[in-house]
Amino acid sequence: MALLPILQYPDERLHTVAKPVAQVDDRIRQLVQDMAQTMYDAPGVGLAATQVNVHERVVVIDVSENSDDLLVLINPEITWYSEDSEVYEEGCLSVEGVYDKVERASEVKVKALDENGEQFEFHADGLLAVCVQHELDHLDGKVFVEHLSLLKQNRILNRIRKQQREAKKLAAEKVTV
Ligand code: GNR
Ligand code: NI
């Protein structure tokens, strides 16, 4: 088991399109375990392999109240989107401190492989539907802030750059004192 570092926006590696998993083997099962531990530790309700700099189509999700219902999605595909959409205030472990409204399909049907390589399908609504769409976006190299207006994206980028400048300044002061 290992905690994996999470890439932070605007790291360009978050824009990598992940490749399908060719074989669900022990290497993938180890990745799933490490991703689950990283997600629970954060804590978050989902994590895509892209966020830990592994560009293969693996996602872990747990939207249960007691964080005891892990959902493992390998090579997930959304096979149906409801016409109805819903707005949800989203956050992301790769964009710390940013929360904003994103409109997505309110229900989806998903097809995926589990950690034994068995195909399964399910229907999702509520937070699970939001989370599945958010995580599949990550696998396609898309971060939720890219659903926001360019004005908002620029404000977020400027805020992050300012924070990085200040952190750098503080670190430099510590060294010289
Ligand atoms: O922990 C998370 N919470 C969350 C809240 C609203 C909509 C989406 C999410 S996913 C996020 C974890 C994450 O960044 N997954 O990629
Ligand atoms: Ni995210």
Side-chain angles (χ1 to χ4, degrees), residues 6 14 46-48 51 90-95 104 131 134-135 138 142-144:
I6 300 175
L14 287 168
L47 190 71
Q51 293 176 277
E90 297 194 18
C92 181
L93 295 173
S94 294
V95 200
R104 300 186 190 268
C131 203
H134 176 116
E135 303 313 338
H138 276 304
K142 190 164 178 176
V143 179
F144 90 98

Side-chain angles (χ1 to χ4, degrees), residues 117-137:
E118 304 281 350
Q119 189 176 300
F120 69 111
E121 284 182 84
F122 63 100
H123 176 272
D125 59 14
L127 176 58
L128 180 57
V130 173
C131 203
V132 165
Q133 292 172 81
H134 176 116
E135 303 313 338
L136 265 70
D137 269 357

Side-chain angles (χ1 to χ4, degrees), residues 35-52:
M35 284 174 60
Q37 197 193 359
T38 304
M39 172 184 75
Y40 288 124
D41 179 78
V45 294
L47 190 71
T50 307
Q51 293 176 277
V52 294

Side-chain angles (χ1 to χ4, degrees), residues 130-176:
V130 173
C131 203
V132 165
Q133 292 172 81
H134 176 116
E135 303 313 338
L136 265 70
D137 269 357
H138 276 304
L139 297 182
D140 289 328
K142 190 164 178 176
V143 179
F144 90 98
V145 295
E146 287 154 20
H147 285 279
L148 307 176
S149 68
L150 287 178
L151 176 64
K152 282 186 174 178
Q153 290 183 46
N154 278 321
R155 282 183 185 152
I156 291 165
L157 281 171
N158 284 331
R159 202 191 315 157
I160 290 169
R161 291 194 182 116
K162 190 176 168 202
Q163 280 167 355
Q164 285 173 346
R165 277 200 307 275
E166 276 160 10
K168 221 172 151 181
K169 219 175 109 188
L170 269 175
E173 277 168 12
K174 259 191 192 146
V175 171
T176 47

Side-chain angles (χ1 to χ4, degrees), residues 7 17 25 40 59 68 94 96-97 100 105 113 142 149:
L7 297 179
V17 178
D25 54 15
Y40 288 124
V59 162
D68 58 359
S94 294
E96 278 172 3
D100 214 328
L113 303 179
K142 190 164 178 176
S149 68

